[in-house]
Amino acid sequence: MNSVTNVLIVGVGGQGVILASEILAEAALKIGLDVKKSEVHGMAQRGGAVSSHVRFGSEVHSPLIGVGDADVILAFEALEALRWAHCANRDATILVNDMRLVPPTAFASKGTKYPDDPFAELEKLGRRAIKIPADEVSRELGNVRLANTILLGSLSQRLEIPVTVWLETIEARVPKKTIALNREAFERGRAFLQ
Amino acid sequence: MKKLLSGDEAVAFGAWRAGVKFASAYPGTPSTEILETFARLPGIYAEWAPNEKVAVEVGIGSALAGVRTLVAMKHVGVNVAADPLMTFTYTGLNAGFVLVSADDPEMHSSQNEQDNRIFARFAGMPLLEPSDSQEAYDYIAYAFDLSEKFDLPVMLRLTTRLAHSKTVVDVQEETLEVAQRTFRRDIKKYVMMPIFAIPRHRALLERLASVQEESERSSVQNIEMQDSELGVITSGVAYQYARELLSTASFLKLGLTNPLPAEMIRHFAQRVKRLLVIEELEPYLEEQVRALGIECEGKKFTSRLGELTPERLAVALEKVGIKAAFAGTPTEPLPTLGRPPVLCPGCAHRAVFTALKATGAHVFGDIGCYTLAALPPLEMLHTCFCMGASIGNAVGVAKAGNSLKPIVAVIGDSTFVHSGITGLVEAVYNDARITIIIVDNGTTAMTGGQDHPATGKTLMGIEATRLDFETLCKAVGVKHVWRLNPLKLDDFEKSLRGSFLVEGPAVIIAEHPCQLYPIRQERVPMVVEAEFCNGCGACLRVGCSALLVTGELSSEGLPKVTIDSELCTGCEVCAWVCKPVAIKFPAAEEVMNE
């Protein structure tokens, strides 16, 4: 009955989570699907946890993905992957940018700490997590903002949206002079998954 | 043309299509983007008003003058605007007037989660509740038709989930034809002194009775008959969750929810064996359905708290023995280290609260980014109620007379203009010994950097007369007014202590531009000289995301701190609290080598 694809994109305010979900939603609209995308603005630029729900298919009702019903989670940061892992369904892939952003309030936290190895924690939960070195590769390409496109490249391997549509959508959203770099970043991201 | 639009954007485009030429608002999450979007469309006038009450009052003027008018605000803004609204339903109008109330179930960015459907009923406003952006776009045009047909202001209610979700909208290129109207004097209709108001109250009830007839046959009320075992009455975004989870049930989906279509509800209830009412927050529909003498189940299984979500609704349905088509598993998240929002690196509010902390004052807060200072690590505010409340709260504590500490109100520039000025007059008139700090960052920062009367620019980008806080404070009778840059922390702290010594109210205007708006500020990052850092953590207690803990330990065995040069702006607040003087600007030759 459920012909809707659920993608949850998570990260930290300022990392580009909302832009990534805009690109995914627009790409899905371009191939003629019904799309709903939902997140809450306001705290996004102030270093808080950010999550964006994107749902697409022949007909979408709820703008929110139910807990445990996400087909793919794309995490821009390791702790955020852990925070939202329970939202994934049992067969879901969790794609995780291999980087840590320790919140500035962490030192005052009495209970929970930033985990030493968030990937090991994900494994303990029985979750299929794939590490994407997007941050590292973006530095290699000379622009940390490309991490966003690298991650979308990896995500594209798990979704039935043609590569040409992805690239067209990304190119409309990035500065003209960075189009070639973004193409390369997208391909590098795709290469991490088969 | 099919576009992905948020509910807010859909309202703006829909209003433009419906021939709206005038819009006024005060920014407030989740409603802000309505006017921001509308202001960019051709051939219209759009403005930020100093507060929601003024927005409604100018909107009334524009509607009486004969121009279709949109006024938008967040739910709590309607409280501020309630005074004109409660009488506007008596008078009625000339051209259409639609008030968009953007409610915030779950309080994503608000101090309460009041359900403004009750407000619409209280004031006697027809109420429309779209369930996605397409409906928001379509209902706006319908709202103006209703407003003009029945001579009433109409409320269109969004919730955060609708306002900020993007869904597909078929956007029309053309605007609709709207009849031209002009102002005409009619004191029996527009001068609400008792002799005229008494008949207008009667006229309001008559007009609402006509809307009731409209409600019974309106195209926004939809019966979707399927299995007659289970029937659902619902409205707004709750419809979307219910539709997805109860794919075989019959639905009465209501778009016009004040007044409710009593006959239609009776008819639907007779055709189903079991009747559920599914709605967020208050039992608004449920109580009215029961008042018709119809048995139904509503808040006995769904909560009056927070938003509905697919999993919450699935769990609620299970409680009353209904199996939902829910593909997920409602599990709790792992206990994970929290990541609360914090003041931006370089934000001057941090300096204000760091100085206040050093003085040990009692601080009363207000609505804005600086409300974050209530939380660890700053922990500096005692209160946050509503726009402008800080000054009144501080006066009250001072007059109660049992506090030995200095009493301070902290209020932002936009909030001060919105509702702080009358509080200031109170402080002067009743001679309260308090310090009022206007944290003036030159923008309405929390909602994304909107202009206001003290920025010298309008929503349409035109230069405006700039409200000068110092002149204003002196004019209302404040004898001690300081204008200071809070990042000069030594001077700022001294002046703060000085303000505690004066009789009567003192005002400190703490001026420093917002880090983000209107333009991102230049950065000159600082560095930690590791050999001097003793790991005391004093800098971490100013709560800045540019400060990071390293693995390296100091001689005291405490983790040393480093600075993220991508985030640090060089505001020097952390350096001010650093006793071993380990935080510095890099020496000139190092900068040269970079």
Side-chain angles (χ1 to χ4, degrees):
Chain A
M1 170 239 136
N2 190 356
S3 64
V4 175
T5 302
N6 295 322
V7 181
L8 185 65
I9 307 185
V10 302
V12 180
Q15 280 194 303
V17 167
I18 310 257
L19 177 62
S21 72
E22 295 264 334
I23 289 170
L24 168 58
E26 277 170 26
L29 178 67
K30 274 199 182 130
I31 58 170
L33 296 175
D34 188 17
V35 187
K36 287 190 176 175
K37 176 184 106 81
S38 187
E39 72 267 328
V40 171
H41 311 171
M43 296 299 177
Q45 272 176 303
R46 288 160 191 90
V50 176
S51 64
S52 182
H53 299 227
V54 184
R55 310 189 70 212
F56 52 91
S58 50
E59 190 185 21
V60 182
H61 284 295
S62 165
L64 286 175
I65 301 167
V67 167
D69 199 18
D71 299 303
V72 186
I73 294 182
L74 179 64
F76 279 49
E77 196 269 349
L79 174 65
E80 295 312 307
L82 207 51
R83 187 185 318 285
W84 301 98
H86 68 292
C87 293
N89 68 35
R90 277 287 143 196
D91 307 319
T93 309
I94 306 181
L95 304 173
V96 191
N97 185 10
D98 186 12
M99 66 114 62
R100 301 158 64 94
L101 285 173
V102 181
T105 47
F107 77 95
S109 169
K110 292 191 180 68
T112 46
K113 296 279 173 221
Y114 197 105
D116 291 332
D117 184 356
F119 292 93
E121 301 290 322
L122 281 167
E123 240 168 69
K124 265 191 242 163
L125 295 172
R127 295 295 181 175
R128 187 150 32 122
I130 301 175
K131 218 185 262 193
I132 314 285
D135 209 48
E136 190 188 317
V137 173
S138 71
R139 285 176 204 280
E140 204 180 293
L141 294 174
N143 186 344
V144 287
R145 293 186 184 200
L146 291 168
N148 203 314
T149 310
I150 295 165
L151 290 167
L152 287 176
S154 303
L155 175 66
S156 73
Q157 293 279 28
R158 286 288 178 271
L159 302 174
E160 283 169 21
I161 296 172
V163 170
T164 50
V165 175
W166 275 107
L167 289 173
E168 201 182 298
T169 315
I170 292 168
E171 284 164 19
R173 284 291 198 138
V174 299
K176 273 225 162 54
K177 57 180 184 197
T178 67
I179 285 181
L181 259 181
N182 272 283
R183 273 178 173 266
E184 193 185 343
F186 190 80
E187 286 308 325
R188 293 287 295 270
R190 274 186 77 77
F192 290 122
L193 268 79
Q194 287 312 316
Chain B
M1 189 192 163
K2 287 200 168 174
K3 279 188 177 174
L4 269 176
L5 296 182
S6 69
D8 281 350
E9 291 167 332
V11 163
F13 285 111
W16 183 82
R17 175 171 179 258
V20 172
K21 293 277 185 277
F22 189 106
S24 184
Y26 180 80
T29 311
S31 71
T32 313
E33 293 91 331
I34 297 171
L35 267 263
E36 286 188 322
T37 306
F38 188 74
R40 291 196 294 266
L41 300 173
I44 54 89
Y45 171 81
E47 61 158 47
W48 295 129
N51 67 31
E52 294 86 354
K53 176 174 182 283
V54 177
V56 166
E57 288 158 351
V58 297
I60 290 172
S62 150
L64 296 194
V67 172
R68 282 193 165 187
T69 299
L70 181 78
V71 176
M73 57 195 64
K74 68 182 294 170
H75 59 330
V76 287
V78 178
N79 302 336
V80 179
D83 209 354
L85 275 178
M86 295 298 293
T87 302
F88 192 27
T89 47
Y90 283 26
T91 69
L93 35 78
N94 183 14
F97 177 107
V98 175
L99 174 88
V100 180
S101 169
D103 292 11
D104 191 14
E106 199 79 21
M107 296 174 268
H108 294 286
S109 199
S110 304
Q111 65 271 38
N112 76 28
E113 56 180 347
Q114 66 187 55
D115 186 336
N116 275 5
R117 296 181 299 173
I118 294 169
F119 231 120
R121 194 155 182 249
F122 185 30
M125 275 185 281
L127 170 65
L128 290 166
E129 288 188 79
S131 73
D132 60 20
S133 299
Q134 179 70 60
E135 286 183 0
Y137 183 80
D138 295 337
Y139 284 13
I140 271 284
Y142 179 54
F144 278 97
D145 290 343
L146 287 179
S147 176
E148 287 170 3
K149 185 173 176 191
F150 298 102
D151 195 15
L152 279 167
V154 171
M155 180 188 284
L156 183 130
R157 177 185 184 250
L158 295 178
T159 53
T160 302
R161 196 53 63 191
L162 296 166
H164 284 177
S165 290
K166 288 199 171 181
T167 73
V168 184
V169 180
D170 197 358
V171 179
Q172 308 297 310
E173 303 286 321
E174 310 273 297
T175 58
L176 301 167
E177 281 295 314
V178 179
Q180 294 293 315
R181 295 161 191 258
T182 51
F183 180 75
R184 68 188 168 84
R185 184 170 189 261
D186 185 348
I187 61 165
K188 288 186 183 170
K189 193 158 180 276
Y190 299 128
V191 178
M192 287 299 96
M193 53 207 286
I195 186 172
F196 301 136
I198 290 164
R200 286 310 293 175
H201 190 190
R202 185 184 313 280
L204 167 61
L205 301 186
E206 287 163 6
R207 281 173 287 153
L208 284 173
S210 308
V211 189
Q212 165 91 48
E213 286 168 33
E214 167 79 19
S215 181
E216 298 286 0
R217 51 187 175 75
S218 168
S219 63
V220 300
Q221 322 285 43
N222 287 312
I223 291 183
E224 301 166 11
M225 281 311 292
Q226 297 192 92
D227 187 355
S228 62
E229 287 296 315
L230 189 65
V232 177
I233 300 178
T234 184
S235 66
V237 75
Y239 165 77
Q240 302 292 359
Y241 303 130
R243 199 79 197 84
E244 184 152 321
L245 296 186
L246 299 168
S247 49
T248 60
S250 294
F251 275 76
L252 171 55
K253 178 192 177 295
L254 298 171
L256 174 53
T257 50
N258 187 50
L260 287 177
E263 283 314 309
M264 196 181 233
I265 290 169
R266 280 202 186 93
H267 175 70
F268 180 72
Q270 278 163 8
R271 292 171 71 186
V272 295
K273 289 208 177 102
R274 188 173 177 188
L275 185 62
L276 306 182
V277 176
I278 298 179
E279 58 191 324
E280 275 179 344
L281 298 178
E282 298 303 313
Y284 171 85
L285 300 173
E286 182 187 354
E287 285 179 354
Q288 293 185 72
V289 170
R290 285 185 192 282
L292 294 171
I294 298 166
E295 212 21 68
C296 62
E297 296 161 89
K299 289 298 156 182
K300 93 174 204 202
F301 72 103
T302 60
S303 177
R304 283 175 64 181
L305 309 173
E307 273 193 292
L308 272 179
T309 62
E311 60 280 356
R312 283 180 186 169
L313 183 55
V315 169
L317 286 165
E318 207 162 302
K319 273 197 290 193
V320 285
I322 297 168
K323 182 88 187 95
F326 183 63
T329 38
T331 45
E332 289 299 312
L334 274 182
T336 314
L337 176 65
R339 194 188 293 278
V342 289
L343 294 171
C344 303
C347 175
H349 297 337
R350 182 177 289 106
V352 170
F353 289 105
T354 302
L356 277 168
K357 203 168 202 173
T359 68
H362 264 324
V363 186
F364 298 87
D366 226 296
I367 307 269
C369 296
Y370 45 93
T371 315
L372 292 170
L375 302 175
L378 288 166
E379 296 181 277
M380 279 307 292
L381 298 180
H382 298 320
T383 57
C384 169
F385 283 84
C386 63
M387 297 289 283
S390 61
I391 302 178
N393 292 162
V395 171
V397 174
K399 289 289 166 188
N402 53 4
S403 171
L404 297 173
K405 288 184 176 179
I407 295 158
V408 177
V410 174
I411 184 165
D413 44 342
S414 191
T415 307
F416 178 71
V417 177
H418 180 290
S419 287
I421 299 168
T422 43
L424 180 66
V425 172
E426 150 78 19
V428 172
Y429 177 52
N430 289 313
D431 197 27
R433 189 167 183 171
I434 62 170
T435 296
I436 296 154
I437 306 178
I438 303 173
V439 284
D440 181 6
N441 60 6
T443 190
T444 315
M446 186 85 245
T447 46
Q450 290 73 31
D451 281 292
H452 60 70
T455 68
K457 215 164 128 233
T458 71
L459 171 58
M460 298 184 82
I462 296 160
E463 293 272 318
T465 303
R466 188 172 169 275
L467 169 64
D468 183 76
F469 290 136
E470 189 176 349
T471 313
L472 183 143
C473 291
K474 287 182 173 160
V476 303
V478 182
K479 293 194 182 69
H480 309 279
V481 185
W482 288 270
R483 221 177 174 126
L484 301 165
N485 176 358
L487 293 186
K488 298 203 159 123
L489 260 164
D490 283 334
D491 291 348
F492 189 79
E493 193 210 341
K494 272 188 210 123
S495 304
L496 195 53
R497 289 185 191 276
S499 77
F500 300 156
L501 303 175
V502 305
E503 298 291 330
V507 174
I508 293 175
I509 303 161
E511 280 179 325
H512 195 272
C514 174
Q515 278 303 308
L516 297 178
Y517 312 111
I519 46 161
R520 205 173 264 271
Q521 300 292 304
E522 291 278 324
R523 300 182 303 108
V524 189
M526 301 186 84
V527 291
V528 180
E529 291 185 352
E531 67 268 35
F532 297 116
C533 175
N534 63 7
C536 72
C539 58
L540 296 171
R541 281 187 284 277
V542 304
C544 177
S545 49
L547 293 161
L548 306 169
V549 177
T550 67
E552 197 191 336
L553 298 182
S554 70
S555 53
E556 284 98 86
L558 297 164
K560 294 190 177 190
V561 171
T562 182
I563 287 178
D564 182 337
S565 63
E566 292 286 324
L567 293 174
C568 178
T569 67
C571 75
E572 299 183 75
V573 174
C574 58
W576 194 73
V577 297
C578 179
K579 292 226 166 70
V581 203
I583 304 174
K584 293 178 180 146
F585 283 110
E589 59 271 23
E590 287 174 46
V591 177
M592 296 282 282
N593 292 341
E594 260 184 30

